[in-house]
Amino acid sequence: MFYLIFVLIWYAFIATIFVIVSVPLIAVASTTFLILCTAAYVRASRLALGPEAAPIPQPEGVPAYVHYLSGPAGRDLRRIADLTWQEMREVGERARSWLKSRFFYYGLDNYRRAVGVLIAAGLVAGAVITALVMGVVTLGALLVWGLLFVLAKGLLYTLRGVDSGLSQLRGIKLTCPACHHRVVYPAYDCPNPSCHRRHTDVRPGRYGLLRRTCVCGERMPTLLVLGSHRMTAYCPHCEAPMAEGAGTAREFRTVMVGATTAGKTRLMLALAETMTGTFGATLADRPTSTAISQLQAALAARGDTGKTLAEDAVRAYSFNLDRRVVHLYDLPGEDFTDTARLSLRRFLDGAHAFVFVVDPFAIPDVWDSLEPAAQREYQSIRSSQPPSYVFEQVLETLTGVRAGKLGHVSLAVAVTKSDLTAGLPICDGLDEDVRAWLSDRAGMANMVRTIEMSFGRVRYFHTSARFTPSGVDPHVRDLLAWTLNRNGVN
């Protein structure tokens, strides 16, 4: 009896000790496991984000790194989760092996196994707590990433809206001077001189907000207001270089129309000389500089610029003047014999002004009034089509592509070759009143009437594109000044 009471008291004592020790033992075991798992999370984060982290992959076809919030952030979160899970599994496996070898090995007494049970309970509790903590950490990271992503997207569209809104308020539209497509945003070459990569759309987006990072490491602005216009711009459609300052200044487009050998190119060159000389404009791109230099060299060498080639693409001659980009288009005379070809000239739709070049020797009444000797002299420089036919072709095309909306378009009618018509009896009075001469003396009353019914603003000039020691013909300056001033260019 006494032995039974002793045994009961002994086991009660042991149970009390067991209960007293179990709580702190479980707490210590769970806390230790939580600390080990936290250390595993820190190691995983260092591996995923530290210097030895995997490099950010370069996107295919785009020579720029993806913005961190638009891809790499999610990748890093997934990598941290994967590495943390691997580290925690290793911690759990080491804890299990240690527990088994220390407390559950064959031959150990029951007291040690009881302690092992307590520690195992603590590890299980620690695993549960760790899972909850890691769940909260993961959820918090996702919430922070999601919030930053939403804020970045909001900033992205705000910046785009501000940039586009400022361009709209200033009336700025981009047109390629080579292929004549409307350009939403130019392509830019990387500003790094040793890098020749081209970025097609640098606006805020997947590859950067305020700055885009080229794969060469060079950072470049994403907005015109931040200075992207200082980089070399190219058309994203045909990859031709665009005018300097494209996107920061309003465009003004003038189209030269007239028959072959009417003198369009010579007059265009005189307009360019007046614009850069008298008006102080600058050449806006390298192709313009090259083309004008070639025309001037040809004119100096043989006294003739040669006819404009009937190419599929007509590149504009571009100038920077009065915070505007002025484009001059010289249409080949062959276009006016092919309505289908003429209708493909996209710049006709967006032109603000036209210069209609009239060869006086192509007017039937003028030609018929000349002596046979004069006709033989001027035959080589006479246009092949009469002005009335050319104007009909132009008007028919414009009526189709612009739906007849020509009321706000200006037209300067330039009767050329004034140096050759001086002294001809039929040309008396031409300098005093060009309109009256065309209508009354030259028999072009129907064409004059059609011109003034079709265009809202019309003025007539008698010009010569010949260069003299005193400079360009003053009437060329008057024509250019009227055309520019009527369209808000000073």
Side-chain angles (χ1 to χ4, degrees):
M1 184 66 179
F2 176 77
Y3 177 75
L4 180 60
I5 294 173
F6 176 76
V7 171
L8 291 175
I9 293 174
W10 174 254
Y11 277 108
F13 175 74
I14 293 299
T16 302
I17 297 298
F18 186 80
V19 171
I20 293 173
V21 173
S22 64
V23 174
L25 190 60
I26 291 174
V28 170
S30 62
T31 302
T32 302
F33 189 80
L34 177 60
I35 292 173
L36 291 175
C37 290
T38 302
Y41 173 76
V42 173
R43 287 196 302 272
S45 300
R46 182 179 59 81
L47 289 173
L49 304 176
E52 56 276 341
I56 298 176
Q58 178 185 342
E60 295 183 3
V62 180
Y65 290 111
V66 177
H67 188 266
Y68 186 71
L69 293 176
S70 296
R75 185 204 66 162
D76 287 345
L77 288 177
R78 289 191 298 271
R79 181 166 174 78
I80 290 173
D82 292 340
L83 292 176
T84 300
W85 174 248
Q86 293 176 12
E87 292 277 344
M88 290 175 64
R89 286 185 62 183
E90 291 178 4
V91 170
E93 184 61 28
R94 288 197 298 270
R96 188 188 69 82
S97 299
W98 175 82
L99 189 65
K100 182 178 179 180
S101 63
R102 295 286 182 176
F103 299 99
F104 294 101
Y105 195 76
Y106 179 77
L108 295 179
D109 54 51
N110 293 331
Y111 295 110
R112 182 169 291 189
R113 291 185 179 181
V115 173
V117 169
L118 293 178
I119 294 176
L123 294 178
V124 171
V128 172
I129 295 173
T130 300
L132 293 175
V133 171
M134 291 302 166
V136 172
V137 171
T138 302
L139 181 60
L142 290 174
L143 287 175
V144 171
W145 175 53
L147 178 61
L148 292 176
F149 183 79
V150 171
L151 290 176
K153 282 293 184 181
L155 180 61
L156 181 157
Y157 289 112
T158 299
L159 292 173
R160 282 196 176 197
V162 169
D163 199 50
S164 300
L166 289 175
S167 297
Q168 290 292 332
L169 288 174
R170 296 168 61 187
I172 296 175
K173 297 180 180 179
L174 291 174
T175 305
C176 175
C179 69
H180 320 300
H181 278 93
R182 283 290 304 277
V183 176
V184 176
Y185 213 85
Y188 292 102
D189 277 353
C190 175
N192 184 355
S194 61
C195 178
H196 304 288
R197 296 177 178 88
R198 184 164 298 172
H199 299 255
T200 56
D201 189 351
V202 301
R203 289 180 298 173
R206 175 175 171 81
Y207 303 101
L209 292 178
L210 301 180
R211 291 288 186 272
R212 168 184 286 213
T213 303
C214 181
V215 294
C216 71
E218 186 75 14
R219 301 188 72 197
M220 52 199 301
T222 60
L223 296 168
L224 292 171
V225 295
L226 296 177
S228 63
H229 62 278
R230 297 189 185 96
M231 300 182 292
T232 305
Y234 294 87
C235 173
H237 302 286
C238 67
E239 299 186 351
M242 298 192 68
E244 180 183 344
T248 61
R250 294 176 63 183
E251 293 184 339
F252 173 70
R253 295 177 289 277
T254 300
V255 181
M256 312 283 294
V257 296
T260 304
T261 68
K264 297 189 307 301
T265 303
R266 287 282 294 270
L267 181 58
M268 188 283 305
L269 191 58
L271 291 173
E273 183 73 20
T274 303
M275 198 176 307
T276 55
T278 306
F279 293 171
T282 58
L283 302 179
D285 53 43
R286 187 178 298 276
T288 297
S289 177
T290 302
I292 289 182
S293 297
Q294 291 174 348
L295 290 174
Q296 290 173 338
L299 186 61
R302 60 176 185 266
D304 185 17
T305 59
K307 73 173 185 175
T308 304
L309 298 178
E311 300 174 328
D312 290 336
V314 175
R315 184 178 178 93
Y317 299 88
S318 302
F319 308 84
N320 287 317
L321 174 66
D322 185 38
R323 298 184 298 278
R324 300 284 188 95
V325 179
V326 179
H327 298 298
L328 292 180
Y329 295 90
D330 181 16
L331 267 175
E334 287 79 2
D335 280 9
F336 303 106
T337 62
D338 188 346
T339 305
R341 184 184 185 90
L342 188 62
S343 63
L344 295 177
R345 303 302 188 185
R346 294 187 183 90
F347 52 81
L348 293 176
D349 184 24
H352 300 91
F354 291 85
V355 177
F356 179 32
V357 182
V358 176
D359 179 5
F361 297 120
I363 299 175
D365 287 1
V366 175
W367 183 253
D368 292 341
S369 70
L370 299 180
E371 297 293 334
Q375 290 182 345
R376 288 192 295 271
E377 179 182 357
Y378 298 134
Q379 180 64 46
S380 61
I381 61 170
R382 182 191 180 214
S383 299
S384 56
Q385 301 96 14
S388 56
Y389 170 78
V390 173
F391 182 76
E392 287 172 3
Q393 297 294 98
V394 173
L395 184 60
E396 180 181 348
T397 301
L398 291 179
T399 302
V401 299
R402 303 183 67 132
K405 297 178 181 179
L406 299 174
H408 299 290
V409 179
S410 62
L411 175 67
V413 181
V415 179
T416 57
K417 304 176 183 177
S418 63
D419 54 312
L420 301 178
T421 57
L424 296 179
I426 195 172
C427 294
D428 290 342
L430 177 54
D431 287 327
E432 286 77 18
D433 191 340
V434 180
R435 180 190 180 282
W437 179 84
L438 278 172
S439 181
D440 301 333
R441 295 290 303 277
M444 307 296 290
N446 288 336
M447 186 185 76
V448 170
R449 242 185 333 265
T450 305
I451 286 175
E452 296 176 351
M453 289 175 59
S454 303
F455 290 85
R457 295 167 290 186
V458 181
R459 187 168 174 181
Y460 301 84
F461 301 87
H462 188 207
T463 65
S464 170
R466 183 178 295 277
F467 291 84
T468 64
S470 59
V472 180
D473 181 4
H475 293 98
V476 174
R477 181 195 61 210
D478 296 340
L479 185 156
L480 181 59
W482 179 85
T483 302
L484 295 175
N485 291 337
R486 294 298 293 179
N487 291 274
V489 184
N490 298 320

